[in-house]
Amino acid sequence: MSGAGEEKGKLWGGRFTGAVDPDMEKFNASIGYDRRMYKQDIQGSKAYAKAIHKAGLLTAEEESQIQTGLDQVLTEWESGTFTLQPSDEDIHTANERRLTELIGQAGAKLHTGRSRNDQVATDTRLWLRDVIGTELRPLMRQLITTIMDRAEAELDLLMPGFTHLQPAQPVRWSHWLMSHGWFLMADLTRLSQLCERVQQCPLGSGALAGNPFSVDRHQLAAELEFRGVTPNSMHAVSDRDYIVEFLFWASLVGTHFSRLAEDLIIFSTPTFGLVRIADAYSTGSSLMPQKRNPDGLELARGKAGRFLGNCVGLMGAIKGTPSTYNKDFQEDKELLFDSVDNMIGVLRVMTGAISTLTVDSDRCKQVLSEGMLATDVAYYLVRQNIPFREAHNLSGKVVALAESKGVPMSQLTLDDFKSVSPAFGDDVTTLWSYEASVEQYRADGGTARAAVAAQIERMRTELSAGAQ
């Protein structure tokens, strides 16, 4: 006879006679957030029903009932009519409870040889695989395409390049923009590499020891479109490395977005005035009417800390766990879902902000200064067969001479130049062209027009090749 406080409806309730404390019930439940994996949980259950039918644990009629019942459960979730019950601790409990309500005892057979340990590992891998394929990868590709399109359209626009936030050398705007694009291309490659490790099927691992009913795990993997099966059941139910790896990936991408956003925020200030962020991605001040705040970019910059916090949070949660499954692992999903949701938001905002911003070409020209051509003076001397270290020193003396006379270098006389070095000739006057300056960097990866066009073409080729 059951005790008065027996935990009815729990998948684990048979051994317990006392009621769970209400605070513990709430503390233990994950249905509030893992319900978003309802589709993947049903997908895994449908595949498992086929597998245990093949293993002789279900009749054809029972398997058909389960498949039909699971389809109805899915319809209820998607139509918004699924009703949760107090006994529904998680998405696995909820779906199985509803299935049994719909089809009776056949539903109670579905969990034969299966544990929530291998079930949740399967659901999470399916969910992450789906969101990478349907959301993250397409949004990454869209952002990279936006960067390439702008770079190609504005190939002739020059701007200052900076190191230490100090004006350094003239470069093409497209070259600066593509520098951020290459970070994102590497991120896209890393995402594809991560997906390979997500694509291993843990279903059939049971609680930790494996499946005792000769379930065909390779059939399960094929049914769920995984690329293989996990090789060790204990590892399979305790592995959260792929989630940690995703959270690290999000942290790194967030860092790249933060750097891009910081550049654009600085460039959009009145002091720089190189770009204007569209109204759609800006807000005003509640006090100062003249303000245009780049809030979209600032939020994207701030999300980098959130992504990193989620990664460190999960690593901290699992670092001391013994093998195999531990309830600590329940911490993974909220952190995963949060990073995914915020990454989707950042990708959309960054794509919109970059596609709609305006570059002030006149201002970009105005802030180019002859001081940025000091290196070109040194290169001129190198071409006169003077060693670079000596040429660098002589170029510095030219800069100092111009400063002492209070004139730009282009207004120094030939005698002034020769007072620094007799290697200077009449052709020193050709140095004061910013266009000529950038065009000398023709080597692969440089800021010359042809070199930038080549890297845009290379990125398009790599993106369209499908390797990402």
Side-chain angles (χ1 to χ4, degrees):
M1 180 180 293
S2 299
E6 181 181 349
E7 288 302 307
K8 295 181 179 179
K10 304 293 188 186
L11 295 182
W12 45 266
R15 178 253 184 269
F16 288 79
T17 57
V20 175
D21 181 277
D23 288 332
M24 174 58 187
E25 186 98 38
K26 182 178 179 182
F27 191 57
N28 184 58
S30 60
I31 189 64
Y33 49 86
D34 68 15
R35 60 192 295 174
R36 70 191 294 173
M37 298 193 301
Y38 71 85
K39 181 169 65 176
Q40 288 77 23
D41 190 70
I42 292 169
Q43 184 181 359
S45 291
K46 287 172 71 68
Y48 194 71
K50 288 184 180 180
I52 59 176
H53 167 57
K54 181 182 177 183
L57 299 171
L58 292 177
T59 66
E61 181 180 356
E62 288 171 331
E63 197 252 331
S64 177
Q65 288 177 331
I66 289 173
Q67 297 292 348
T68 301
L70 287 170
D71 286 338
Q72 185 171 340
V73 175
L74 178 62
T75 298
E76 290 181 8
W77 276 112
E78 294 186 337
S79 65
T81 60
F82 190 99
T83 303
L84 292 170
Q85 300 297 328
S87 62
D88 295 338
E89 294 178 46
D90 50 43
I91 188 59
H92 326 298
T93 310
N95 281 342
E96 185 172 328
R97 185 265 308 162
R98 181 57 180 147
L99 174 66
T100 305
E101 289 175 353
L102 291 170
I103 68 171
Q105 281 304 303
K109 290 187 174 184
L110 176 60
H111 208 58
T112 305
R114 184 172 69 165
S115 166
R116 287 187 295 176
N117 295 357
D118 62 346
Q119 195 173 355
V120 68
T122 304
D123 291 359
T124 309
R125 286 175 180 268
L126 287 171
W127 186 88
L128 182 54
R129 182 188 71 184
D130 289 347
V131 81
I132 288 173
T134 62
E135 296 269 11
L136 295 175
R137 188 181 283 123
L139 287 171
M140 286 285 291
R141 294 174 66 90
Q142 182 182 5
L143 175 55
I144 292 168
T145 300
T146 298
I147 287 173
M148 289 188 298
D149 289 345
R150 286 216 69 150
E152 194 167 56
E154 295 162 326
L155 197 54
D156 294 319
L157 180 58
L158 304 186
M159 65 173 286
F162 300 90
T163 65
H164 306 277
L165 206 55
Q166 303 298 314
Q169 293 176 286
V171 296
R172 295 188 183 276
W173 154 263
S174 298
H175 194 52
W176 167 83
L177 192 56
M178 289 293 291
S179 73
H180 288 283
W182 286 112
F183 280 118
L184 299 178
M185 280 292 288
D187 292 331
L188 186 56
T189 299
R190 275 185 283 267
L191 185 61
S192 295
Q193 293 167 344
L194 161 63
C195 205
E196 290 292 321
R197 288 180 281 281
V198 173
Q199 286 273 52
Q200 300 298 308
C201 181
L203 195 55
S205 297
L208 78 161
N211 188 286
F213 298 110
S214 300
V215 163
D216 187 341
R217 294 191 63 216
H218 292 279
Q219 177 192 353
L220 275 171
E223 185 73 26
L224 294 170
E225 298 182 349
F226 282 114
R227 293 177 183 170
V229 299
T230 51
N232 181 290
S233 60
M234 296 178 73
H235 171 265
V237 299
S238 63
D239 179 22
R240 296 299 183 272
D241 287 1
Y242 64 96
I243 301 179
V244 172
E245 190 174 354
F246 175 82
L247 296 179
F248 168 75
W249 176 86
S251 301
L252 185 57
V253 177
T255 300
H256 294 155
F257 284 146
S258 181
R259 297 184 67 186
L260 172 55
E262 176 70 0
D263 271 359
L264 289 173
I265 290 166
I266 291 171
F267 292 168
S268 70
T269 60
T271 304
F272 279 72
L274 305 182
V275 302
R276 181 182 177 89
I277 309 303
D279 288 350
Y281 299 95
S282 306
T283 66
S285 166
S286 62
L287 177 66
M288 298 164 284
Q290 82 281 7
K291 294 289 294 298
R292 294 184 77 258
N293 300 324
D295 283 8
L297 295 173
E298 289 175 356
L299 285 168
R301 184 178 60 187
K303 295 295 183 184
R306 185 164 184 160
F307 293 135
L308 179 59
N310 286 345
C311 182
V312 173
L314 183 56
M315 292 188 73
I318 67 176
K319 71 174 182 63
T321 53
S323 58
T324 54
Y325 180 83
N326 299 272
K327 198 69 169 185
D328 313 51
F329 297 159
Q330 189 163 292
E331 293 297 306
D332 62 356
K333 284 172 284 299
E334 286 184 282
L335 300 173
L336 173 63
F337 296 156
D338 183 78
S339 286
V340 167
D341 292 343
N342 278 284
M343 181 58 67
I344 289 171
V346 172
L347 281 164
R348 289 173 174 164
V349 167
M350 290 300 290
T351 301
I354 291 173
S355 65
T356 58
L357 67 82
T358 303
V359 186
D360 189 333
S361 57
D362 291 336
R363 177 62 179 166
C364 286
K365 292 176 183 176
Q366 290 171 8
V367 296
L368 291 170
S369 64
E370 286 186 6
M372 299 177 193
L373 301 176
T375 303
D376 294 48
V377 175
Y379 289 163
Y380 173 92
L381 293 172
V382 167
R383 293 184 177 101
Q384 309 307 313
N385 206 31
I386 294 177
F388 178 74
R389 285 301 169 203
E390 182 181 349
H392 183 279
N393 181 59
L394 293 172
S395 176
K397 290 182 178 181
V398 171
V399 173
L401 179 61
E403 288 178 349
S404 69
K405 290 195 167 190
V407 297
M409 287 185 293
S410 63
Q411 292 185 21
L412 293 174
T413 66
L414 181 57
D415 288 341
D416 290 330
F417 279 102
K418 286 188 174 293
S419 72
V420 175
S421 171
F424 285 109
D426 293 344
D427 57 348
V428 72
T429 58
T430 63
L431 295 180
W432 317 123
S433 164
Y434 299 115
E435 185 68 35
S437 177
V438 299
E439 280 304 293
Q440 70 185 311
Y441 300 104
R442 295 185 294 274
D444 285 354
T447 195
R449 194 180 197 281
V452 177
Q455 64 172 292
I456 296 171
E457 182 60 29
R458 174 180 171 180
M459 186 178 286
R460 285 199 191 280
T461 299
E462 291 185 11
L463 194 64
S464 64
Q468 313 303 331

